[in-house]
Amino acid sequence: MSSIIHIQGLSTKFQTDTVHENLHLRVKTGEILGIVGGSGTGKSVLLSQIALLRRPNAGEVYLFEQATANLSEKALLPIRQRIGVMFQQGALFSSYTVLENICVPLREHTKLSNNLIRELAMLKLKLAGLPDHAAHKMPNELSGGMLKRAAVARALALDPELLLLDEPSAGLDPVGAHALDELMISLNTTLKLTLVLVSHDLDSLWRVTHRVAFLGRKQVLQVADMQTLSQSDDELIQNYFSNPRAHAAQARQL
Amino acid sequence: MPLDDYLYLDTENKLYLQGAWHTKTLAFIETQVRNHCHPEYLQSVTHIHADITHLDTNAAYLLVKLCRYFNLDPEGLTKEQQQTFTLVTAHLSPIPANQNNLPWLASFGKACLSPILQAKAMLAFLGEMSWALAEQIRQPSKIRLGLILSVIENAGAYAIPIISLLSFLMGAVIAYQGGLQLQTYGANIFIVELVSLTLLRELAPLITAIIVAGRSGSAFTAEIATMSINDEIRAMQSLGLSPQHILVLPKVMGLIFVLPLLTALADVAGLAGGMLVALLQLDVSFSEFLQRVPETVSVNHFLVGISKSFAFAWIIAHVGCMQGFYVQGGADSVGRQTTKSVVQSIFLVILADALFSILFTWLKI
């Protein structure tokens, strides 16, 4: 199977701190990959590098089998259009309605007629599982779960092949979190989307992911399915999975 | 006979679809689909045959519309394409009517009501503020000196350069324009009265208030509005702190203290500007000018200007804080409230100035 993302020898530095050093990671086309790790291990930074929002200090990120580290902003644009990003707080434009938010990328990057753009936006809204009446709401009138769905809908506007999600279930009630898990699975199976998600929600990781990359000691320590990862010999990984909450999440899955 | 790249009608009236149907090519496809969705074809097209390499959901939507128009099912889709097609069909939904769009009469009514509601809100806020002030005066130990000092520093000390510069220029301009007229009558010396009266009584308090409204009134609004969006105001209340005491009163007190001082500074800078032009243009020396000011201009004019600035300070702080608290929603609302705050405080400052004019004339000051 081909890899949609291939990260080679990546290093990231913040002034004096080194976050990643010589990090390697491969994401297969069509899989759901989780990224986990303790706080400050650079999960969100890694995600923003995959989203081409931050350039690595060293190393190379291959997206769709194309090296990106030395490309100009202009050359990055067609690659960016193939990636959808859902930010942690949704990051919807607060002065636009939900429908207008979804229209933004379509208006910017296609020459479609206005009517078709609005109809496509409505389709994305439904695909993300939002009710009809959410279309004309302002982002601040939405609940947390609806906000995240609207953010997914906007990320899907240009029919990307890769969807990146930063803590999708953070701040959601169990019902909303579960519904979002189901949405991610259905996007993966029906639209053949590759999903990469940063998450701390172990229930969600068990339920959704095919494989999980564990970040620690400035590298990817192990990439495996949750079952294998939870029985890893590595001390850091054992620590992460040996607390009562992790056990409870595992028990629920087995 | 192929008509174009993505779809064509063959001699047996089969509509053939070909090429890559995805978002990037969709704009071309849309125009071509539009050409084929023509009543003249409606009866004649008997089959839709798809032989396409890609089909994403956006393109599938267009395909669904096309098929619905001819009331036909597409043939020849691969299994995956059929899945996408079915998925999109299952999620079709018309765009609901936007109920936020009011009919014109309703929006007219709303527009008429808004100034009344604003005035009501202002009165309510004035009440809250006065109540908080009364509480504070009863318990002077609760006055937050540190916060007041920071307002004095930010709204006062840092505004000194801009206010001196602008008042200096203002004084110079008045002296220059007035001087041209006075020169024709040979009444050069009256430049002293002209400059000092206009500045002390009217222009210095007004220009200072306008600068402070733009500099600090807007900052008050933006600060309080951002805090309100971040739930910081509610956090304060839950911790038993009064937002009025912490956010509003220090700003009111600080501004009431500092605006009269800035006005006095503007008086001095403006007179200096006038003096310079008087010397260069009208041959009125500095000593003549300075001697004549106390001789002909009563100290009342200076006091009138200063007393007005107390009221202006109250208006600016009042409007600035109030608009901050009335923020609703997100980042765009902060911008809207800040604009409102500056426009409203400058409007009210000038209105108050007019009322003061009438009052002082009536009192014969």
Side-chain angles (χ1 to χ4, degrees), chain B residues 285-300:
Chain B
S285 75
F286 287 170
S287 56
E288 272 178 286
F289 195 108
L290 287 175
Q291 207 171 11
R292 198 174 163 84
V293 172
E295 279 172 11
T296 58
V297 181
S298 132
V299 73
N300 277 350

Side-chain angles (χ1 to χ4, degrees), chain A residues 1-207:
Chain A
M1 219 178 202
S2 59
S3 7
I4 193 163
I5 305 171
H6 182 192
I7 299 171
Q8 220 173 27
L10 175 92
S11 292
T12 311
K13 292 189 184 81
F14 285 115
Q15 277 106 40
T16 52
D17 292 351
T18 308
V19 184
H20 305 130
E21 200 161 17
N22 198 23
L23 179 146
H24 295 271
L25 180 66
R26 255 178 204 280
V27 182
K28 294 183 223 158
T29 309
E31 76 171 334
I32 305 183
L33 182 95
I35 298 178
V36 298
S39 330
T41 48
K43 302 179 293 293
S44 293
V45 178
L46 184 63
L47 202 71
S48 67
Q49 281 164 336
I50 298 172
L52 303 174
L53 301 174
R54 197 192 144 85
R55 285 179 194 262
N57 295 76
E60 186 58 90
V61 179
Y62 295 91
L63 292 170
F64 313 105
E65 291 168 353
Q66 209 177 339
T68 60
N70 296 313
L71 288 181
S72 67
E73 280 295 308
K74 207 178 154 198
L76 288 179
L77 192 63
I79 306 179
R80 282 208 177 115
Q81 288 178 27
R82 298 170 72 180
I83 306 174
V85 187
M86 194 210 88
F87 294 93
Q88 200 172 353
Q89 311 292 341
L92 294 180
F93 304 121
S94 56
S95 51
Y96 290 159
T97 63
V98 171
L99 197 71
E100 284 163 350
N101 257 288
I102 309 173
C103 289
V104 169
L106 287 163
R107 272 194 225 291
E108 199 58 36
H109 297 301
T110 68
K111 292 195 178 74
L112 300 171
S113 70
N114 191 31
N115 277 338
L116 184 61
I117 285 179
R118 285 170 59 84
E119 286 167 27
L120 289 176
M122 193 64 203
L123 172 70
K124 295 299 142 91
L125 190 131
K126 295 299 286 179
L127 280 175
L130 283 164
D132 287 2
H133 64 81
H136 299 300
K137 290 222 160 119
M138 301 305 279
N140 60 27
E141 299 169 324
L142 295 183
S143 66
M146 298 233 290
L147 203 66
K148 300 226 168 179
R149 280 169 185 270
V152 170
R154 187 179 67 182
L156 291 178
L158 291 172
D159 264 320
E161 295 150 65
L162 174 63
L163 184 61
L164 309 175
L165 304 109
D166 196 358
E167 307 228 1
S169 51
L172 292 188
D173 62 284
V175 180
H178 178 73
L180 205 66
D181 285 351
E182 295 306 312
L183 175 64
M184 287 190 275
I185 294 172
S186 90
L187 291 175
N188 176 253
T189 50
T190 56
L191 297 178
K192 311 285 175 291
L193 269 177
T194 309
L195 268 66
V196 176
L197 54 125
V198 167
S199 185
H200 287 298
D201 182 345
L202 289 160
D203 287 312
S204 172
L205 288 168
W206 276 101
R207 173 104 188 85

Side-chain angles (χ1 to χ4, degrees), chain B residues 83-304:
Chain B
Q83 276 177 358
T84 313
F85 186 84
T86 320
L87 180 78
V88 169
T89 316
H91 286 90
L92 287 184
S93 177
I95 301 173
N98 189 352
Q99 281 159 352
N100 301 339
N101 287 345
L102 293 171
W104 70 270
L105 192 61
S107 21
F108 179 71
K110 210 174 164 187
C112 292
L113 212 57
S114 114
I116 300 174
L117 292 177
Q118 280 285 330
K120 202 178 141 196
M122 206 171 249
L123 214 60
F125 196 79
L126 182 67
E128 279 176 47
M129 219 160 97
S130 314
W131 183 252
L133 193 65
E135 273 182 342
Q136 189 118 84
I137 290 168
R138 255 195 342 199
Q139 290 173 296
S141 59
K142 283 205 166 172
I143 291 179
R144 303 190 180 246
L145 207 58
L147 292 174
I148 298 180
L149 284 175
S150 110
V151 172
I152 290 175
E153 184 183 11
N154 287 317
Y158 296 148
I160 287 175
I162 183 74
I163 285 179
S164 347
L165 179 66
L166 287 181
S167 323
F168 181 85
L169 292 174
M170 208 67 183
V173 169
I174 295 169
Y176 182 71
Q177 293 296 337
L180 288 177
Q181 309 299 322
L182 291 174
Q183 233 171 358
T184 54
Y185 297 101
N188 289 15
I189 192 67
F190 286 104
I191 193 68
V192 180
E193 280 94 325
L194 177 74
V195 170
S196 38
L197 268 177
T198 24
L199 273 176
L200 297 184
R201 214 180 154 102
E202 287 297 331
L203 274 180
L206 210 53
I207 194 136
T208 314
I210 289 174
I211 294 170
V212 171
R215 254 188 109 257
S216 307
S218 57
F220 294 167
T221 310
E223 179 196 330
I224 295 177
T226 316
M227 289 181 78
S228 172
I229 286 178
N230 287 338
D231 272 345
E232 287 174 54
I233 307 269
R234 283 199 279 178
M236 267 184 195
Q237 286 167 331
S238 80
L239 293 172
L241 304 167
S242 151
Q244 283 280 350
H245 283 223
I246 294 174
L247 294 174
V248 179
L249 289 183
K251 293 186 172 60
V252 176
M253 292 181 184
L255 218 53
I256 285 184
F257 176 79
V258 90
L259 198 66
L261 293 180
L262 287 175
T263 305
L265 173 78
D267 287 341
V268 174
L271 284 181
M275 229 155 64
L276 186 69
V277 172
L279 176 72
L280 295 178
Q281 194 200 3
L282 305 167
D283 296 321
V284 178
S285 75
F286 287 170
S287 56
E288 272 178 286
F289 195 108
L290 287 175
Q291 207 171 11
R292 198 174 163 84
V293 172
E295 279 172 11
T296 58
V297 181
S298 132
V299 73
N300 277 350
H301 297 302
F302 170 74
L303 293 178
V304 163

